[in-house]
Amino acid sequence: MKVFSNNAVSLDGRINTREGRFTSLGSAHDLVRMSELRAQADAVLVGGATFRRWPNPSLVEPPVPAPPGHRPWNVVVTRALDVPLERAFLTDARVRPLFITRAAAFERPEARDVRDAFPDAFEAWPGGDEDLPIGWIVDVLRRRGVERVLVEAGGDLVFQFLAADALDEMHVTLCPLVIGGRTPSLAGGTGFTFDEMRRLRLLDAKQVGDELFLHYRVSRTEPR
């Protein structure tokens, strides 16, 4: 399985402003690039915070043509399942919805009712309050026939994929913006030490207008 990410960031590495609402930092060129990458993926994965801000299908948008028969998994990773569970999303024929969560999330009757109505759209981890294990998430997707996963999640989930050595490539659009403050960054979480930092190898760089489109391979950490 190949796992790759795509994010637009400001010059100071931020992915959102202090309002915390759904924000598109990139230009029209960046939106085209996003659709090109989605067209390559069997699954598009986001976190709960991202989905709460924009609870809609992740689709290939014009002018990029979708591959024939393209019906990607739309995966939402959420520990508490505190996200919109709208029937319109769950029944959208253009995608295959999948909510990955903890078993404890179904203690709420409304969550159980939706799961019972759409059993194929939910996977539950039986563990406790910790983050959902990335290796388990990858195995869930592999069992469903996914071969190429596009991660469009926020910084915390991107960090978890990096920390688990589960991210193969990163696509980053560097936008001519400065946000500053204590705003979300490309990789959040607890952060790495100097020895743990993930190293990247630049595969491609392209300038379009004032934006830079960067493509990196993530180097695996050495076993200790």
Side-chain angles (χ1 to χ4, degrees), residues 60-105:
V60 178
E61 303 285 357
V64 178
H70 190 243
R71 188 170 171 248
W73 290 96
N74 270 204
V75 183
V76 182
V77 177
T78 164
R79 287 181 297 178
L81 202 58
D82 50 348
V83 295
L85 297 173
E86 301 295 338
R87 186 178 182 88
F89 177 75
L90 287 161
T91 59
D92 194 315
R94 298 170 296 176
V95 297
R96 288 176 283 184
L98 176 61
F99 292 88
I100 296 180
T101 188
R102 293 185 297 117

Side-chain angles (χ1 to χ4, degrees), residues 47-189:
T50 300
F51 190 73
R52 282 192 294 273
R53 296 186 187 104
W54 200 77
N56 297 286
S58 299
L59 300 167
V60 178
E61 303 285 357
V64 178
H70 190 243
R71 188 170 171 248
W73 290 96
N74 270 204
V75 183
V76 182
V77 177
T78 164
R79 287 181 297 178
L81 202 58
D82 50 348
V83 295
L85 297 173
E86 301 295 338
R87 186 178 182 88
F89 177 75
L90 287 161
T91 59
D92 194 315
R94 298 170 296 176
V95 297
R96 288 176 283 184
L98 176 61
F99 292 88
I100 296 180
T101 188
R102 293 185 297 117
F106 298 107
E107 294 174 358
R108 296 174 15 244
E110 61 272 23
R112 285 200 304 273
D113 291 345
V114 177
R115 178 200 59 189
D116 293 344
F118 301 94
D120 292 338
F122 295 89
E123 288 274 0
W125 169 252
D129 293 334
E130 72 277 5
D131 291 328
L132 297 170
I134 297 299
W136 173 74
I137 293 173
V138 170
D139 286 342
V140 164
L141 297 180
R142 185 179 288 112
R143 290 198 301 269
R144 292 186 179 230
V146 173
E147 296 180 355
R148 295 173 64 86
V149 183
L150 173 58
V151 177
E152 292 185 348
D156 285 345
L157 202 48
V158 168
F159 174 80
Q160 291 173 44
F161 270 88
L162 286 167
D165 273 340
L167 195 57
D168 300 300
E169 296 180 7
M170 299 181 72
H171 295 265
V172 180
T173 302
L174 188 60
C175 304
L177 305 166
V178 174
I179 296 174
R182 297 179 179 178
T183 48
S185 66
L186 177 62

Side-chain angles (χ1 to χ4, degrees), residues 6 9 25 31 47 49 59 63 68 77 84 90 93 95 123 146 155 183 192 211 216 222:
N6 182 45
V9 304
L25 300 181
L31 296 178
L59 300 167
V77 177
L90 287 161
V95 297
E123 288 274 0
V146 173
T183 48
F192 294 117
E211 290 176 328
Y216 293 96
E222 296 294 331

Side-chain angles (χ1 to χ4, degrees), residues 27-40:
S27 67
H29 294 291
D30 178 61
L31 296 178
V32 168
R33 182 58 176 155
M34 178 181 69
S35 280
E36 290 173 344
L37 293 172
R38 285 179 177 177
Q40 300 173 19

